[in-house]
Amino acid sequence: LARENKPMKRRAESAEDLSAKKPREDFSASKNDSPLVLIQCDQDQVCSVEDIPDGNIKVPIATPARTHVKLTRDTKTVIIIKKWEDKGATNAMTDLCQHLKEEYGTRILVEPHVVKELPSYDIEPMDLKHPGRDVDFVIVLGGDGTLLHLNSLFQGASSIPPVIGFALGSLGFLVPYEFEGYKEHIKTIMSEDPLEVSLRLRLIGELKTNKEGDPAITYQALNEILIDRGTSPYLTKLEFYVDDQLATHIQADGVIISTATGSTAYSLSAGGPVLPPSVPAILVTPICPHTLSFRPLVLPDFVRLRIRVPDDARSTAFVSFDGRNLTEIPRGGEVSVRISPWPVPTVCLLPPIVEWFRSIKHRLNWNVRELQKPMPLNDK
């Protein structure tokens, strides 16, 4: 699964090509009887040109309300990712493998080290270089951290198969289903009916140290990319660019760049807004900024961000991706961030927005309060 440009109404050209042409030469109303021509460009500067015959610009709903996928192969191949060295997850995986083999004849792939834990079952090690090849769906047994671990296995230009998660961890915000009902959930997935999924956007972060010989480090994060001061006693001083334009300087303990999925993680703890995962946005949440006016931002998904440590900064900074790959950013180094075209499609057994509200209410106790009592009735 990948996000792609919508079909073009008339033709597609680059922004540079459009700007080099004379408006009346190519898009005049005399040729097509349209008083308006709408030109829209994506983040790669690929533009669509659409005639507006009646002169009324209508904005379509960019984010689909419901998204479905359908598994078409008769014999399914599934990856099972379980919580690291957890006895409960191992026992659950034993029951799950037995059920998948006996009921559906499923081919089961696991991480190489897990094969040794279940030697009596017909399971195979997954291909870590091409993890999604010929895989129909993924089952996660664990908590939110296990889902983030799954994300770490699918890096590069790689599509992630549909994912269903069973909560065997502490919180289970991203893996909302209880394992006790796994047989019914698996039956739903194995049926010929389309599966509803939530396409959780990821961030692509690229670190450039600007040191000769240092390769760029690229990682796709599901929750957030964190840039902070590490062990330094000084505030981080960062240059914050939006589409290569300097927007502001950040002077704080750090800054969190997160997805809508990550809005209920570290960003939430730092005072950021809460967004459903279907919202195509990038969140910018400062960590303890030394100013009263630096509020969290919600930016559209097409922007490209760049966070640079200036040459005159008192100290270096550090970057991590979903809490992994902690790396120092030297003076003059920078991290660029953009939305990845490869989302994480999580299976939803209810409409995604319904499941999301259930999660924030039951897992985060969102807006939990005793209801106001009615006024006592007056005899008069």
Side-chain angles (χ1 to χ4, degrees):
L1 294 173
R3 299 202 315 165
E4 298 179 356
N5 294 328
K6 295 181 180 179
M8 301 305 179
K9 296 293 185 179
R10 185 144 66 102
R11 57 184 174 273
E13 304 183 58
S14 68
E16 291 77 7
D17 292 339
L18 292 174
S19 61
K21 293 180 178 179
K22 297 178 182 179
R24 292 188 179 276
E25 180 180 349
D26 293 275
F27 310 126
S28 62
S30 60
K31 288 189 176 182
N32 50 38
D33 296 327
S34 296
L36 286 177
V37 172
L38 184 65
I39 304 170
Q40 294 179 301
C41 302
D42 64 13
Q43 61 266 44
D44 295 319
Q45 296 304 303
V46 176
C47 303
S48 65
V49 182
E50 179 182 356
D51 298 328
I52 311 296
D54 56 3
N56 294 323
I57 299 176
K58 298 179 181 179
V59 180
I61 298 177
T63 302
R66 311 285 287 272
T67 302
H68 295 77
V69 296
K70 187 173 182 179
L71 307 182
T72 58
R73 283 188 285 241
D74 293 333
T75 303
K76 305 296 191 297
T77 298
V78 59
I79 292 176
I80 301 179
I81 301 295
K82 78 174 193 68
K83 188 176 181 181
W84 175 261
E85 293 186 347
D86 184 87
K87 185 176 181 181
T90 301
N91 293 336
M93 186 173 178
T94 301
D95 295 340
L96 179 62
C97 288
Q98 183 176 354
H99 179 71
L100 289 172
K101 287 291 184 180
E102 293 178 354
E103 293 293 326
Y104 305 102
T106 307
R107 180 185 177 215
I108 300 174
L109 306 178
V110 297
E111 294 180 85
H113 69 270
V114 178
V115 177
K116 300 176 182 178
E117 297 183 32
L118 300 172
S120 60
Y121 286 87
D122 183 18
I123 56 178
E124 306 171 37
M126 60 186 291
D127 184 354
L128 295 179
K129 291 185 178 180
H130 307 284
R133 179 177 293 174
D134 297 327
V135 174
D136 294 286
F137 64 99
V138 180
I139 299 175
V140 171
L141 302 176
D144 296 350
T146 311
L147 183 61
L148 293 178
H149 171 64
L150 167 68
N151 172 73
S152 71
L153 301 177
F154 286 82
Q155 297 296 311
S158 177
S159 174
I160 300 181
V163 180
I164 183 168
F166 294 104
L168 296 172
S170 302
L171 183 62
F173 189 85
L174 302 179
V175 283
Y177 305 116
E178 299 299 330
F179 184 74
E180 286 72 15
Y182 78 92
K183 291 184 179 180
E184 285 300 316
H185 299 331
I186 296 299
K187 183 179 179 180
T188 300
I189 294 176
M190 292 296 188
S191 69
E192 296 181 356
D193 298 330
L195 294 172
E196 187 154 14
V197 296
S198 175
L199 298 180
R200 296 178 179 270
L201 298 182
R202 296 192 288 173
L203 297 173
I204 295 180
E206 184 177 28
L207 168 62
K208 295 180 180 179
T209 63
N210 288 338
K211 289 184 178 180
E212 187 176 353
D214 282 1
I217 298 174
T218 303
Y219 192 91
Q220 295 196 63
L222 176 59
N223 269 355
E224 74 273 315
I225 296 174
L226 168 66
I227 300 173
D228 65 6
R229 66 181 186 174
T231 58
S232 170
Y234 305 110
L235 291 173
T236 56
K237 181 181 179 183
L238 304 169
E239 297 170 352
F240 183 73
Y241 294 84
V242 179
D243 289 339
D244 288 328
Q245 300 296 315
L246 180 62
T248 189
H249 286 85
I250 296 175
Q251 297 183 100
D253 279 352
V255 63
I256 304 166
I257 313 296
S258 72
T259 62
T261 294
S263 69
T264 51
Y266 195 176
S267 177
L268 172 70
S269 301
V274 178
L275 298 180
S278 58
V279 176
I282 300 176
L283 282 70
V284 180
T285 306
I287 305 173
C288 299
H290 200 243
T291 173
L292 296 176
S293 58
F294 193 178
R295 311 310 304 161
L297 300 174
V298 178
L299 301 178
D301 59 344
F302 59 78
V303 301
R304 294 174 183 256
L305 307 180
R306 190 157 53 88
I307 300 95
R308 180 178 181 273
V309 179
D311 297 326
D312 62 352
R314 289 190 177 185
S315 66
T316 61
F318 288 83
V319 61
S320 61
F321 308 88
D322 285 340
R324 298 170 177 266
N325 298 354
L326 180 65
T327 308
E328 186 176 18
I329 312 172
R331 295 175 182 85
E334 63 184 35
V335 177
S336 60
V337 181
R338 68 184 189 277
I339 287 290
S340 168
W342 307 104
V344 177
T346 53
V347 174
C348 299
L349 302 178
L350 295 173
I353 195 66
V354 174
E355 285 199 349
W356 182 76
F357 268 106
R358 284 191 174 188
S359 292
I360 64 172
K361 290 173 67 175
H362 297 155
R363 308 289 185 180
L364 299 180
N365 292 325
W366 175 73
N367 198 30
V368 173
R369 181 192 183 279
E370 292 292 331
L371 292 178
Q372 188 181 55
K373 295 180 180 179
M375 293 287 290
L377 295 176
N378 193 313
D379 294 339
K380 294 182 180 181

